[in-house]
């Protein structure tokens, strides 16, 4: 813009400049969806599809898809929050409006709990230790602290045979059974006799040959 100023009979010209801001152009995302996943102990969600709407040709702008579930636990139609970003040569000239209304399922992970095989001596009562099992498929960050283990062979009256060990009711402070499809496998308890310690001098058949040394 030009302004004329008269100074003592002379005309002079002064140029006035006004600055203007160029703001980032808002882009939207069309067609994005969230993918179902198997429980993995995280809230990370995977977005697929979707395209940017509003990019001015020939600008180069790339959509980087990302999102998260509201929590890590198993469930259907769980809300997913998009956290997409932009990259590319001209990304700084744009902003992104996150897609909304996204949902997906988190399905249970497979977990197998197997009692550890044990051997006990005839005539004794066996008490299962707290760590007397093996968990296969447990997600990082989850911990099982207790599993109910039982076997007919644990009884003091159990004969010299092999017996099944059954497992149930896995629990833990950082473990939720509802996040897993749990298979409780079977272990084996072997009750053994020690013939060299079996003698008529022992007055009771229930004395433990393991302790008679």
């Amino acid at each position: 813009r030009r302004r004329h100023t008269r100074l003592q009979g002379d005309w002079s010209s002064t140029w006035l400049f006004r600055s203007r801001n160029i703001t980032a152009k808002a882009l939207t995302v069309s067609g994005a969806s969230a993918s179902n996943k198997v429980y993995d102990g995280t809230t990370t969600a995977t977005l697929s599809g979707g395209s940017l709407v509003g990019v001015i040709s020939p600008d180069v702008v790339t959509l980087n898809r990302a999102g998260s579930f509201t929590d890590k636990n198993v469930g259907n139609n769980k809300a997913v929050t998009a956290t997409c970003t932009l990259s590319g040569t001209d990304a700084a000239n744009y902003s992104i409006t996150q897609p909304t209304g996204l949902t997906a399922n988190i399905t249970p992970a497979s977990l197998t709990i197997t009692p550890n095989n044990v051997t006990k001596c005839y005539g004794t009562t066996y008490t299962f230790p707290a760590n007397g099992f093996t968990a296969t498929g447990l997600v990082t960050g989850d911990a099982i602290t207790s599993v109910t283990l039982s076997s007919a062979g644990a009884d003091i009256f159990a004969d010299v045979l092999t017996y099944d060990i059954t497992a149930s009711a896995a629990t833990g402070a950082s473990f939720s059974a509802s996040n897993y499809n749990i298979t409780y496998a079977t272990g084996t308890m072997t009750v053994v006799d020690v013939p060299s310690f079996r003698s008529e001098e022992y007055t009771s058949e229930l004395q433990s040959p393991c302790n008679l040394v």
Side-chain angles (χ1 to χ4, degrees):
R1 181 178 178 182
R2 196 173 199 182
R3 183 178 65 184
H4 297 280
T5 304
R6 184 173 184 180
L7 298 176
Q8 298 180 348
D10 295 326
W11 290 93
S12 63
S13 295
T14 303
W15 288 97
L16 299 180
F17 295 94
R18 293 182 180 178
S19 62
R20 293 290 186 271
N21 296 327
I22 300 177
T23 58
K25 186 176 189 295
L27 303 179
T28 58
V29 180
S30 175
S33 62
S35 301
N36 298 335
K37 75 169 186 175
V38 176
Y39 172 76
D40 62 2
T42 74
T43 60
T44 302
T46 299
L47 304 188
S48 60
S51 59
L52 292 171
V53 177
V55 177
I56 299 172
S57 180
D59 286 358
V60 177
V61 184
T62 301
L63 173 65
N64 304 305
R65 300 165 186 83
S68 61
F69 289 92
T70 52
D71 61 63
K72 68 177 183 177
N73 297 314
V74 165
N76 293 327
N77 297 317
K78 296 175 70 75
V80 173
T81 301
T83 53
C84 302
T85 59
L86 302 176
S87 62
T89 306
D90 304 293
N93 294 323
Y94 296 89
S95 63
I96 185 171
T97 300
Q98 299 291 343
T100 59
L102 302 176
T103 62
N105 303 335
I106 300 179
T107 57
S110 296
L111 175 65
T112 300
I113 297 176
T114 306
N116 297 335
N117 295 335
V118 297
T119 299
K120 78 150 208 175
C121 291
Y122 171 81
T124 63
T125 299
Y126 185 83
T127 300
F128 290 97
N131 61 347
F133 63 91
T134 301
T136 304
L138 192 64
V139 169
T140 300
D142 288 355
I144 298 173
T145 55
S146 175
V147 172
T148 299
L149 301 173
S150 61
S151 174
D155 189 83
I156 193 172
F157 297 105
D159 289 330
V160 178
L161 295 169
T162 58
Y163 300 84
D164 287 342
I165 304 172
T166 59
S168 62
T171 60
S174 61
F175 170 80
S176 176
S178 61
N179 287 326
Y180 293 90
N181 286 325
I182 304 176
T183 298
Y184 290 102
T186 301
T188 300
M189 174 177 284
T190 304
V191 179
V192 297
D193 196 2
V194 184
S196 61
F197 288 112
R198 304 282 294 162
S199 170
E200 292 180 0
E201 67 181 279
Y202 305 128
T203 58
S204 173
E205 286 284 328
L206 300 180
Q207 287 178 295
S208 171
C210 297
N211 296 328
L212 299 176
V213 294

